[in-house]
C-alpha cells in the first residue's frame, strides 16, 4: 500500500527555519516524482518543489527559490523540505504528493498534510 | 509560467444534476492535465490524469476531456458526497500550476 506521511510542521517566528519530512512506503520514490505542494488557509493549491526523476534536478517555485531546499534519504524513503527565512505568507498546510510512474508532476497520491504557521 | 484559468469559481447544483467545470491553459500543454477533488480539511484526491484517464478507483461519473489549451471536467448524477472544491493542474512544464478551484455545493 502506498503511503506518504508528512511531519515537522508547527509554529515558527518570521525569519525562522523548519524542516518538513515526507516518509514514503509502498513505492520506489526514485521512479516516481515526489513533490511538495501547499495550501494557505482558505486559498487554493500551490506547487512548491520537487525532484525531476530523469536528471534528479531540483525544481522550486519562484516564491520559495533561495529559501527552501529539498533533500532525500533513499535508504529511509524520506524526502525533506528545508525551509529558511520563513515569512507570514508561507503559512499553509504542506502536502507531499507521489506522481505516476515515470512522470514528474502527475500527482496520484497525497499525504494528509502538515500545518506550518509563521507568526510571532 | 503556464497559467490555468478555471471557471466557474462556484456552482450550486441539485442532486442528480450534471456539471461541467472548464480550465484554460495560457499555452498549449497537450494532454498534461490532472483534476483533483478536495473536501474541507482533507487532502486533495486525484481524479483524472492525462486529461481524460480515470485514476484507479475513481467512479466513471467523473469524465475529463480536452487537449491543447481547453479542458473540462464533467460530473454526472451529482450526489451530496460530490460537494467539494475541484482543481485542475498542468504538469507539462515546471513550475506545475493549478487552477483557482471550483466549489460545488448542493442546493
Amino acid at each position: 500500500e502506498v503511503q506518504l506521511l508528512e511531519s515537522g510542521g508547527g509554529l515558527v517566528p518570521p525569519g525562522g527555519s523548519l524542516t518538513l519530512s515526507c516518509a514514503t512506503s509502498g513505492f520506489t520514490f526514485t521512479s516516481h516524482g515526489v513533490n511538495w505542494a501547499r495550501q494557505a488557509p482558505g486559498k487554493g493549491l500551490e506547487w512548491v518543489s520537487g525532484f525531476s526523476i530523469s536528471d534528479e534536478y531540483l525544481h522550486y517555485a519562484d516564491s520559495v527559490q533561495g529559501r527552501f531546499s529539498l533533500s532525500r534519504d533513499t535508504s529511509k524513503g524520506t524526502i525533506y523540505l528545508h525551509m529558511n527565512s520563513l515569512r507570514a505568507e508561507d503559512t499553509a498546510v504542506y502536502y507531499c504528493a507521489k506522481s505516476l510512474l515515470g512522470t514528474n508532476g502527475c500527482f496520484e497520491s497525497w499525504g494528509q498534510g502538515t500545518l506550518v504557521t509563521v507568526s510571532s | 509560467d503556464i497559467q490555468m484559468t478555471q471557471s466557474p469559481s462556484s456552482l450550486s447544483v441539485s442532486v442528480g444534476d450534471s456539471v461541467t467545470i472548464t480550465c484554460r491553459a495560457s499555452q498549449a500543454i497537450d494532454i498534461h492535465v490532472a483534476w483533483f477533488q478536495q473536501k474541507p480539511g482533507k487532502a486533495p484526491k486525484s481524479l483524472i490524469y492525462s486529461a481524460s484517464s480515470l485514476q484507479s478507483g475513481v467512479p466513471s461519473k467523473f469524465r475529463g476531456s480536452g487537449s491543447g489549451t481547453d479542458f473540462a471536467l464533467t460530473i454526472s448524477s451529482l450526489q451530496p458526497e460530490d460537494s467539494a472544491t475541484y482543481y485542475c493542474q498542468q504538469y507539462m512544464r515546471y513550475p506545475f500550476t493549478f487552477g483557482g478551484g471550483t466549489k460545488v455545493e448542493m442546493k
Side-chain angles (χ1 to χ4, degrees), chain A residues 65-76:
Chain A
Q65 182 76 47
R67 301 187 298 123
F68 290 12
S69 64
L70 274 183
S71 67
R72 63 187 182 186
D73 185 333
T74 305
S75 66
K76 294 182 178 179

Side-chain angles (χ1 to χ4, degrees), chain A residues 46-99:
Chain A
E46 179 190 18
W47 173 81
V48 173
S49 182
F51 287 93
S52 170
I53 59 172
S54 58
D55 56 10
E56 300 193 0
Y57 191 81
L58 305 179
H59 297 265
Y60 301 95
D62 287 347
S63 57
V64 307
Q65 182 76 47
R67 301 187 298 123
F68 290 12
S69 64
L70 274 183
S71 67
R72 63 187 182 186
D73 185 333
T74 305
S75 66
K76 294 182 178 179
T78 300
I79 291 175
Y80 304 95
L81 183 66
H82 308 278
M83 306 186 295
N84 298 313
S85 302
L86 282 162
R87 307 166 179 166
E89 54 264 36
D90 296 318
T91 294
V93 175
Y94 284 74
Y95 297 99
C96 60
K98 164 186 173 285
S99 296

Side-chain angles (χ1 to χ4, degrees), chain A residues 100 106-109, chain B residues 34-36 46-49 53-59:
Chain A
L100 280 175
C106 184
F107 306 140
E108 63 173 347
S109 302
Chain B
W35 290 92
F36 305 95
S46 302
L47 299 175
I48 301 280
Y49 66 98
S53 297
L54 278 178
Q55 289 282 2
S56 176
V58 174

Side-chain angles (χ1 to χ4, degrees), chain B residues 1 33 40 49 53 55 71-73 90-91 94 96 103 106:
Chain B
D1 297 1
V33 163
Y49 66 98
S53 297
Q55 289 282 2
F71 302 89
L73 173 69
Q90 68 80 18
Y91 54 92
Y94 288 101
F96 305 132
K103 188 173 185 179
M106 307 302 292

